[in-house]
Amino acid sequence: GAVVSQHPSWVICKSGTSVKIECRSLDFQATTMFWYRQFPKQSLMLMATSNEGSKATYEQGVEKDKFLINHASLTLSTLTVTSAHPEDSSFYICSAPDIGSNQPQHFGDGTRLSIL
Amino acid sequence: QKEVEQNSGPLSVPEGAIASLNCTYSDRVSQSFFWYRQYSGKSPELIMSIYSNGDKEDGRFTAQLNKASQYVSLLIRDSQPSDSATYLCAVGRILTGGGNKLTFGTGTQLKVEL
């Protein structure tokens, strides 16, 4: 079936580093992808909606300049956490709706980001 | 008021019992409703979807939707230890280009005890 691949699965890096996370739809085209963040024992919070060929739509309270989103093709969206700090440590999950599927969204496996 | 509310639990049930999970939502124009299961450190996986009032059964799982009361529930029959996880309720709006934009509840932790 349709799969969304997310890479890397975990990252540990120093404060101030920028980190890029990739999300790929493997066998379907995704004009829209979603980026979520999940802190321990909390739910998934939508950060932004990535739109192929246009600017992402950010949820209230999410800094556009800190969380850069690029959706350059119908199968790839990237999230770059710029100048990451310890408070950015979280579980980041992408998803993509597959209109031809009975699933509302296909989720990637998530990226565990730890900033030291 | 949170958009999607769930009791955080933990909800403990003995093996073989029925687990009942509840969810309320605030947006009356919500069109689609989902239950996801999430194991610790993993992404959510879809358990059930429901779009119209009433019950929908799939194996040991039954989803119930009451749009007038803005309430959706999930029943798990013959609960197994492997059902122990966090169950997320999600409410969706259909996007113009297709697909759903989901709002998640905080999740209910279920523990099935031997």
Side-chain angles (χ1 to χ4, degrees), chain A residues 21-89:
Chain A
I21 303 170
E22 292 187 349
C23 183
R24 294 180 184 272
S25 57
L26 295 185
D27 58 1
F28 67 99
Q29 294 182 333
T31 55
T32 301
M33 289 187 177
F34 300 102
W35 288 96
Y36 297 88
R37 179 170 53 184
Q38 186 177 33
F39 292 107
K41 299 193 182 299
Q42 295 187 25
S43 191
L44 278 73
M45 295 300 297
L46 181 64
M47 299 175 64
T49 303
S50 168
N51 304 299
E52 187 269 335
S54 64
K55 292 182 180 180
T57 305
Y58 289 81
E59 297 300 305
Q60 190 173 9
V62 178
E63 299 175 57
K64 302 178 183 181
D65 295 333
K66 182 166 185 62
F67 299 100
L68 301 180
I69 290 174
N70 183 282
H71 195 151
S73 77
L74 288 171
T75 59
L76 174 64
S77 176
T78 61
L79 168 67
T80 301
V81 184
T82 61
S83 187
H85 292 285
E87 59 266 29
D88 298 321
S89 298

Side-chain angles (χ1 to χ4, degrees), chain A residues 6 31-32 34 36 38 41-44 46 49 59 91 93 97 99 102-105 107-110 112, chain B residues 34 36 38 40-46 49 51 88 95 97-107 109:
Chain A
Q6 186 173 343
T31 55
T32 301
F34 300 102
Y36 297 88
Q38 186 177 33
K41 299 193 182 299
Q42 295 187 25
S43 191
L44 278 73
L46 181 64
T49 303
E59 297 300 305
F91 190 46
I93 309 173
I99 299 171
N102 61 355
Q103 294 222 12
Q105 295 181 16
F107 283 88
D109 289 337
R112 177 74 59 191
Chain B
F34 309 93
Y36 284 85
Q38 187 178 27
S40 182
K42 302 293 186 183
S43 279
E45 54 179 316
L46 183 67
S49 60
Y51 300 91
L88 302 172
L95 298 171
N100 284 267
K101 180 177 179 179
L102 301 180
T103 300
F104 285 85
T106 52
Q109 185 182 3

Side-chain angles (χ1 to χ4, degrees), chain B residues 58-70:
Chain B
D58 183 1
R60 296 187 295 115
F61 300 97
T62 299
Q64 299 173 317
L65 174 62
N66 184 324
K67 290 185 179 180
S69 300
Q70 295 174 244

Side-chain angles (χ1 to χ4, degrees), chain B residues 29-106:
Chain B
V29 300
S30 299
Q31 299 158 303
S32 50
F33 307 85
F34 309 93
W35 283 97
Y36 284 85
R37 178 173 62 197
Q38 187 178 27
Y39 294 110
S40 182
K42 302 293 186 183
S43 279
E45 54 179 316
L46 183 67
I47 299 296
M48 289 286 288
S49 60
I50 188 166
Y51 300 91
S52 55
N53 283 329
D55 295 358
K56 179 181 177 183
E57 185 175 321
D58 183 1
R60 296 187 295 115
F61 300 97
T62 299
Q64 299 173 317
L65 174 62
N66 184 324
K67 290 185 179 180
S69 300
Q70 295 174 244
Y71 172 88
V72 58
S73 67
L74 178 70
L75 298 177
I76 306 175
R77 289 180 297 281
D78 188 24
S79 295
Q80 302 297 310
S82 58
D83 294 328
S84 298
T86 296
Y87 287 80
L88 302 172
C89 172
V91 174
R93 279 200 184 195
I94 297 176
L95 298 171
T96 304
N100 284 267
K101 180 177 179 179
L102 301 180
T103 300
F104 285 85
T106 52

